[in-house]
């Protein structure tokens, strides 16, 4: 059974810092890994999707990496801003089965 | 462009009452549709998914059921709610293969008292 773990559960940083969020999964037989952002009481917004054959994806200040063999992914956020404050979720997918981590709650202080 | 709608946005129901949550997708045809539940402090749990009208797969045993009466409509139901059914319910859609992105709706906050 696939299990997805995100560390840390919560993170607070001052504005401008670079930061890394971690995601690990137990079964490397995945099709893709996706990072989402969730604002309080809202739905999920897709940030980056990494296919199993890819090593990383970049979008603006965000960079996500995938090491499928070791069951790890990182989300790097450069020059963090208060607007980045949210919960970040990673999810791994195989067929129609998508497993989520519990998320990292990020607070960026001005 | 594609959009996904969920209603109601919030719902407070007594234990033992029925439930019906609706999700509709616009701007795409034959989407894969999903229902997730997010309990307080926990990750999202896949409840049901559907690859076509009348085709429903259940991921976990529970007192909930799902139906897909139309191509772009997905309904989550219960005959009798339990306290443990409280949570944030999210509908999502995708098209094509298993490698495609899932897009999520705004969610329904359900509180069972």
């Amino acid at each position: 059974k696939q299990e997805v773990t995100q560390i840390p559960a919560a993170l607070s940083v001052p504005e401008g810092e670079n930061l890394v969020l971690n995601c690990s999964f137990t079964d490397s037989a995945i099709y893709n890994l996706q990072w989402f952002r969730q604002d309080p009481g809202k739905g999920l917004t897709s940030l980056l999707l990494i296919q199993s054959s890819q090593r990383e994806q970049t979008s603006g200040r965000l960079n996500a990496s995938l090491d499928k063999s070791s069951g790890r992914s990182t989300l790097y956020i450069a020059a963090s801003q208060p607007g980045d404050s949210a919960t970040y979720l990673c999810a791994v997918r195989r067929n129609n089965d998508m497993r989520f981590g519990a998320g990292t709650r990020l607070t960026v202080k001005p | 462009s594609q959009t996904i709608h969920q209603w109601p946005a919030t719902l407070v129901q007594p234990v033992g009452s029925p439930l019906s949550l609706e999700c509709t997708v616009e701007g795409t045809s034959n989407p894969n549709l999903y229902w997730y539940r997010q309990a307080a402090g926990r990750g999202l749990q896949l409840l049901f998914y559907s690859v076509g009208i009348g085709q429903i797969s259940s991921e976990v045993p529970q007192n909930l059921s799902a139906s897909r009466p139309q191509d772009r409509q997905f309904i989550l139901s219960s005959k009798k709610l339990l306290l443990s059914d409280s949570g944030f319910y999210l509908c999502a859609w995708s098209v094509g293969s298993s490698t495609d992105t899932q897009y999520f709706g705004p969610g329904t906050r359900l509180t069972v008292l």
Side-chain angles (χ1 to χ4, degrees), chain A residues 13-87:
Chain A
V13 300
E15 182 177 3
E17 272 202 9
N18 303 324
L19 58 100
V20 175
L21 307 181
N22 297 290
C23 173
S24 62
F25 47 96
T26 55
D27 186 352
S28 62
I30 64 171
Y31 286 1
N32 60 45
L33 183 144
Q34 198 163 357
W35 282 93
F36 294 88
R37 169 187 173 136
Q38 185 177 28
D39 292 289
K42 304 293 184 181
L44 277 64
T45 301
S46 177
L47 299 174
L48 290 165
L49 172 70
I50 310 177
Q51 305 294 355
S52 62
S53 59
Q54 297 174 325
R55 299 282 293 185
E56 66 176 344
Q57 283 287 329
T58 298
S59 176
R61 294 182 293 108
L62 305 179
N63 176 277
S65 68
L66 174 64
D67 184 344
K68 196 172 74 164
S69 61
S70 68
R72 296 173 189 268
S73 175
T74 62
L75 178 66
Y76 175 81
I77 302 177
S80 58
Q81 303 170 358
D84 294 331
S85 298
T87 296

Side-chain angles (χ1 to χ4, degrees), chain A residues 31-32 34 36 38 41-46 49 51 89 93-103, chain B residues 32 34 36 38 41-44 46 49 51 59 88 90 94 97-102 104-106 109:
Chain A
Y31 286 1
N32 60 45
Q34 198 163 357
F36 294 88
Q38 185 177 28
K42 304 293 184 181
L44 277 64
T45 301
S46 177
L49 172 70
Q51 305 294 355
L89 299 165
R93 186 171 179 182
R94 179 180 173 83
N95 294 325
N96 281 301
D97 184 11
M98 197 158 182
R99 302 279 174 161
F100 284 80
Chain B
N32 302 316
Y34 309 84
Y36 291 88
Q38 186 176 36
R42 300 175 65 180
L44 272 74
L46 178 64
Y49 68 88
V51 298
E59 288 296 302
F88 192 48
L90 288 159
S94 68
S97 70
S98 300
T99 58
D100 290 338
T101 299
Q102 287 192 12
F104 284 77
R109 173 74 59 191

